[in-house]
Amino acid sequence: NSELATNQAIAFTNPSPIPSKYLFYYLLGKRAALAKLGKGATQLNISQGVIKEFPFVLAPSAEQSRIVAKLDELFSDLDAGVASLQRARANLKRYRAAVLKAAVEGRLTADWRAQNPPTEAGAELLARLLRERRLRWEETQLAKFEASGKAPPQGWRSRYIEPVAPDTKGLPSLPTDWCWASTDQISEIQSGIQKQPMRSPGANAYPYLRVANVHRNRLDLSQIEYFELFGSELDRLRLHAGDMLVVEGNGSRTEIGRSALWMGELADCVHQNHIIRVRFSGGLSRFFNAYWNSPTGQSALGSVAASTSGLYTLSVSKVGRIPVPLAPMCEQAEVMRLVEEALSSAHRADADVSRALVRATSLRQSILKRAFSGRLVPQDPNDEPASILLERIRQARAAESANPRKPARKPPASRPGSKSGVGTAARGRPRKPQV
């Protein structure tokens, strides 16, 4: 028997001869078959009529109890195994975070560093990158003057804007040969293109990346959309191999600023304005992408992200102020070798866990299938046949239909001025004595 409990659930009033768990386990094993019977454009629904007509395997009462007891035992063990696998997955996630944190704070390469003094310390590397940054700006300005046919005006070099220095307050200490820099000091930061009707693909359509394409430390390029570009936009916004892509906003503080590296997977690709492109100088992108996705980097990102109606947002200027650790180039390479080795092992272990979880799901369905095909528990010829049980249920149903229960009478409503349950006696009429 079944009755509609809500618009999304059907409640089963269980006949007493059949244990509730027997019915539950049976339907659990038939989820796939029931799903095929669902109807609905946006959300599948199963009606009472479908449930009432769905075939049901009725075993003898004694065997039902044996099946339930055996399923309880097997599923208890299986649930314990699944819980163990889920703990292993959570531990792998913590392991990845610990590896990245140790890497970008210099602890992962402490022994290596003691044996390999750098030829260019972090502070020296920063000074060189700043000189190169200014030189690129000057070359760009001279090219503009030449293109316009004008001579550079006097004092034009004084227009150069020095990048913002990092605020290191509260940051962890770094190894001796490392230093803190701001993202602005060591990279070029660029916002993307806003999606507008004028950008509908036409004669000059090019692929672009959306927030949905950028996950933490990986890209999902299974669905790519296209923008119409104009003039020199492609030259200005085309992604280069090694660019770091940063998600500008997210409702979750833990997902704000997640990043992944672009390695030239698509030709002539640009990005939407909700993604910020960070192009590091001197081949630094792998190390800084690791920092960006580490607990230390996420903490730095969270400290500058604004929250508007629960949405954490970044901007080009905020990303530029993010402090980043600058290690010597040779040590950065060693850091990434160790990180990629550790994360590769963690990835293989996670894949093993995923396969084990899939096998656990398959095993659960296999157990249920055996249970309701008479192959899970021994059958006893002395059990009362299921046909007799079914006939008894039918007789009970017929008797119930012949003598339907009368609905309980509602108590009379209280009249104004009277106390609930007192009725006319409260207005002065004498009550008859109770006999």
Side-chain angles (χ1 to χ4, degrees), residues 33-80:
L34 285 167
K36 292 179 180 179
L37 300 176
K39 295 181 179 180
T42 57
Q43 179 176 329
L44 293 179
N45 294 284
I46 300 174
S47 66
Q48 292 186 65
V50 170
I51 292 293
K52 287 178 179 180
E53 295 178 4
F54 194 75
F56 179 72
V57 174
L58 185 64
S61 291
E63 188 171 347
Q64 291 178 32
S65 298
R66 292 196 296 273
I67 288 173
V68 168
K70 189 63 176 179
L71 288 175
D72 282 346
E73 175 190 344
L74 293 176
F75 284 174
S76 177
D77 293 341
L78 191 56
D79 289 342

Side-chain angles (χ1 to χ4, degrees), residues 169-368:
K169 186 187 304 180
L171 294 175
S173 59
L174 295 175
T176 302
D177 292 322
W178 292 35
C179 72
W180 286 104
S182 70
T183 308
D184 194 26
Q185 288 178 314
I186 60 173
S187 70
E188 297 175 3
I189 308 168
Q190 173 71 56
S191 185
I193 301 175
Q194 184 177 3
K195 188 174 183 179
Q196 298 173 322
M198 62 179 286
R199 297 289 182 183
S200 298
N204 295 295
Y206 292 90
Y208 77 94
L209 298 185
R210 302 164 292 132
V211 169
N213 299 123
V214 181
H215 297 257
R216 188 170 299 286
N217 207 29
R218 67 180 180 87
L219 296 172
D220 179 2
L221 305 180
S222 57
Q223 293 185 344
I224 295 294
E225 296 186 7
Y226 286 78
F227 265 155
E228 183 75 5
L229 300 184
F230 305 95
S232 62
E233 287 182 329
L234 180 60
D235 292 335
R236 182 169 57 89
L237 296 171
R238 181 192 286 112
L239 292 173
H240 295 177
D243 285 347
M244 187 174 77
L245 305 173
V246 178
V247 173
E248 179 188 66
N250 198 277
S252 170
R253 190 180 183 89
T254 60
E255 287 299 306
I256 182 66
R258 69 175 186 264
S259 71
L261 289 182
W262 175 257
M263 300 309 295
E265 289 85 346
L266 296 173
D268 295 334
C269 189
V270 295
H271 59 101
Q272 194 181 12
N273 62 321
H274 296 304
I275 295 174
I276 297 172
R277 184 202 75 197
V278 183
R279 184 169 293 164
F280 289 101
S281 305
L284 306 174
S285 56
R286 290 169 62 235
F287 178 81
F288 288 106
N289 183 61
Y291 171 75
W292 220 260
N293 290 300
S294 72
T296 310
Q298 286 297 294
S299 177
L301 285 165
S303 67
V304 302
S307 177
T308 304
S309 302
L311 179 66
Y312 296 94
T313 59
L314 293 169
S315 64
V316 168
S317 60
K318 288 177 180 178
V319 168
R321 295 200 302 270
I322 299 294
V324 292
L326 189 59
M329 292 295 292
C330 57
E331 189 166 355
Q332 288 185 39
E334 178 64 13
V335 166
M336 292 314 301
R337 186 187 70 80
L338 295 175
V339 165
E340 289 167 1
E341 183 180 279
L343 295 188
S344 178
S345 297
H347 178 74
R348 289 193 296 271
D350 193 67
D352 290 341
V353 169
S354 295
R355 286 190 290 270
L357 287 171
V358 170
R359 286 196 297 270
T361 300
S362 299
L363 178 58
R364 194 181 299 272
Q365 290 302 309
S366 176
I367 291 171
L368 289 169

